[in-house]
Short mmCIF file of all heavy atoms in Angstrom, two decimals:
data_model
loop_
_atom_site.label_atom_id
_atom_site.label_comp_id
_atom_site.label_asym_id
_atom_site.label_seq_id
_atom_site.Cartn_x
_atom_site.Cartn_y
_atom_site.Cartn_z
N VAL A 443 98.21 113.50 93.44
CA VAL A 443 97.36 113.98 94.59
C VAL A 443 98.21 113.80 95.87
O VAL A 443 98.10 114.65 96.74
CB VAL A 443 96.06 113.16 94.65
CG1 VAL A 443 95.24 113.56 95.96
CG2 VAL A 443 95.16 113.45 93.43
N GLY A 444 98.91 112.69 96.02
CA GLY A 444 99.72 112.45 97.20
C GLY A 444 100.77 113.54 97.33
O GLY A 444 101.07 113.98 98.50
N VAL A 445 101.43 113.93 96.26
CA VAL A 445 102.43 114.99 96.34
C VAL A 445 101.85 116.27 96.83
O VAL A 445 102.39 117.04 97.68
CB VAL A 445 103.09 115.15 94.95
CG1 VAL A 445 104.00 116.41 95.02
CG2 VAL A 445 103.90 113.95 94.56
N VAL A 446 100.60 116.59 96.37
CA VAL A 446 99.91 117.79 96.79
C VAL A 446 99.62 117.72 98.29
O VAL A 446 99.80 118.75 99.00
CB VAL A 446 98.59 118.00 96.01
CG1 VAL A 446 97.77 119.13 96.56
CG2 VAL A 446 98.90 118.23 94.51
N VAL A 447 99.14 116.59 98.75
CA VAL A 447 98.87 116.43 100.16
C VAL A 447 100.15 116.60 100.97
O VAL A 447 100.16 117.26 102.02
CB VAL A 447 98.21 115.04 100.42
CG1 VAL A 447 98.09 114.83 101.95
CG2 VAL A 447 96.87 114.97 99.77
N MET A 448 101.23 115.96 100.53
CA MET A 448 102.54 116.08 101.18
C MET A 448 103.01 117.53 101.35
O MET A 448 103.44 117.98 102.39
CB MET A 448 103.56 115.24 100.49
CG MET A 448 104.90 115.26 101.17
SD MET A 448 106.12 114.22 100.22
CE MET A 448 106.34 115.28 98.76
N LEU A 449 102.87 118.24 100.22
CA LEU A 449 103.31 119.64 100.19
C LEU A 449 102.40 120.48 101.14
O LEU A 449 102.86 121.45 101.76
CB LEU A 449 103.25 120.21 98.80
CG LEU A 449 104.26 119.61 97.77
CD1 LEU A 449 104.00 120.21 96.43
CD2 LEU A 449 105.66 119.91 98.29
N TYR A 450 101.11 120.14 101.21
CA TYR A 450 100.19 120.86 102.10
C TYR A 450 100.68 120.72 103.55
O TYR A 450 100.74 121.72 104.29
CB TYR A 450 98.81 120.32 101.92
CG TYR A 450 97.87 120.78 102.97
CD1 TYR A 450 97.35 122.10 103.05
CD2 TYR A 450 97.44 119.90 104.03
CE1 TYR A 450 96.53 122.54 104.08
CE2 TYR A 450 96.55 120.31 105.00
CZ TYR A 450 96.06 121.62 105.04
OH TYR A 450 95.25 122.06 106.02
N TYR A 451 100.98 119.46 103.99
CA TYR A 451 101.41 119.26 105.33
C TYR A 451 102.74 119.91 105.64
O TYR A 451 103.03 120.41 106.70
CB TYR A 451 101.45 117.78 105.66
CG TYR A 451 100.09 117.21 106.01
CD1 TYR A 451 99.33 116.46 105.11
CD2 TYR A 451 99.55 117.48 107.26
CE1 TYR A 451 98.06 116.01 105.47
CE2 TYR A 451 98.26 116.99 107.61
CZ TYR A 451 97.56 116.26 106.68
OH TYR A 451 96.29 115.81 107.01
N ARG A 452 103.64 119.99 104.61
CA ARG A 452 104.91 120.68 104.83
C ARG A 452 104.65 122.17 104.97
O ARG A 452 105.29 122.83 105.79
CB ARG A 452 105.81 120.41 103.60
CG ARG A 452 106.62 119.18 103.69
CD ARG A 452 107.74 119.14 102.70
NE ARG A 452 108.93 119.77 103.13
CZ ARG A 452 110.08 119.80 102.47
NH1 ARG A 452 110.16 119.27 101.31
NH2 ARG A 452 111.14 120.40 102.96
N TRP A 453 103.75 122.68 104.20
CA TRP A 453 103.41 124.11 104.29
C TRP A 453 102.86 124.47 105.63
O TRP A 453 103.13 125.57 106.17
CB TRP A 453 102.39 124.47 103.17
CG TRP A 453 101.86 125.87 103.24
CD1 TRP A 453 102.54 127.01 102.98
CD2 TRP A 453 100.54 126.24 103.68
NE1 TRP A 453 101.70 128.08 103.18
CE2 TRP A 453 100.49 127.68 103.61
CE3 TRP A 453 99.44 125.53 104.12
CZ2 TRP A 453 99.33 128.33 103.94
CZ3 TRP A 453 98.29 126.23 104.43
CH2 TRP A 453 98.25 127.61 104.36
N ARG A 454 102.07 123.54 106.21
CA ARG A 454 101.53 123.76 107.55
C ARG A 454 102.54 123.61 108.61
O ARG A 454 102.30 123.92 109.76
CB ARG A 454 100.39 122.78 107.78
CG ARG A 454 99.11 123.09 107.09
CD ARG A 454 97.97 122.23 107.59
NE ARG A 454 97.80 122.28 108.98
CZ ARG A 454 97.07 121.38 109.73
NH1 ARG A 454 96.47 120.43 109.14
NH2 ARG A 454 96.96 121.60 111.01
N GLY A 455 103.75 123.03 108.25
CA GLY A 455 104.75 122.89 109.32
C GLY A 455 104.62 121.57 110.08
O GLY A 455 105.24 121.42 111.06
N THR A 456 103.76 120.67 109.56
CA THR A 456 103.64 119.39 110.21
C THR A 456 104.70 118.49 109.64
O THR A 456 104.54 117.83 108.63
CB THR A 456 102.22 118.77 109.84
OG1 THR A 456 101.22 119.71 110.18
CG2 THR A 456 102.02 117.47 110.64
N ASP A 457 105.82 118.37 110.35
CA ASP A 457 106.96 117.61 109.88
C ASP A 457 107.05 116.28 110.62
O ASP A 457 108.08 116.05 111.34
CB ASP A 457 108.23 118.41 109.94
CG ASP A 457 109.18 118.00 108.82
OD1 ASP A 457 108.80 117.22 107.98
OD2 ASP A 457 110.34 118.46 108.83
N ILE A 458 106.12 115.51 110.53
CA ILE A 458 106.01 114.15 111.06
C ILE A 458 106.64 113.92 112.39
O ILE A 458 105.98 113.99 113.40
CB ILE A 458 106.51 113.10 110.12
CG1 ILE A 458 107.04 113.68 108.83
CG2 ILE A 458 105.41 112.18 109.73
CD1 ILE A 458 107.57 112.68 107.86
N LEU A 459 107.90 113.55 112.46
CA LEU A 459 108.53 113.18 113.72
C LEU A 459 109.79 113.93 113.99
O LEU A 459 110.36 114.46 113.04
CB LEU A 459 108.78 111.61 113.64
CG LEU A 459 107.66 110.68 113.62
CD1 LEU A 459 108.18 109.26 113.41
CD2 LEU A 459 106.88 110.73 114.96
N PRO A 460 110.21 113.90 115.19
CA PRO A 460 111.56 114.44 115.51
C PRO A 460 112.58 113.77 114.66
O PRO A 460 112.49 112.59 114.38
CB PRO A 460 111.75 114.15 117.01
CG PRO A 460 110.38 113.79 117.52
CD PRO A 460 109.57 113.30 116.42
N GLU A 461 113.60 114.51 114.29
CA GLU A 461 114.65 113.96 113.35
C GLU A 461 115.25 112.68 113.94
O GLU A 461 115.56 111.72 113.18
CB GLU A 461 115.71 114.98 113.13
CG GLU A 461 116.54 114.73 111.88
CD GLU A 461 115.69 114.68 110.59
OE1 GLU A 461 114.72 115.44 110.53
OE2 GLU A 461 115.98 113.82 109.73
N HIS A 462 115.43 112.59 115.29
CA HIS A 462 116.04 111.37 115.85
C HIS A 462 115.28 110.13 115.57
O HIS A 462 115.83 109.04 115.48
CB HIS A 462 116.32 111.55 117.32
CG HIS A 462 115.06 111.17 118.16
ND1 HIS A 462 114.12 112.10 118.57
CD2 HIS A 462 114.68 109.96 118.65
CE1 HIS A 462 113.22 111.47 119.28
NE2 HIS A 462 113.48 110.20 119.26
N ALA A 463 114.02 110.29 115.37
CA ALA A 463 113.14 109.05 115.19
C ALA A 463 113.48 108.38 113.91
O ALA A 463 113.34 107.19 113.82
CB ALA A 463 111.63 109.46 115.26
#
Side-chain angles (χ1 to χ4, degrees):
V443 173
V445 171
V446 172
V447 173
M448 180 180 71
L449 293 175
Y450 168 74
Y451 277 102
R452 275 193 86 175
W453 173 72
R454 284 188 57 190
T456 307
D457 210 6
I458 2 180
L459 291 173
E461 199 60 35
H462 84 265

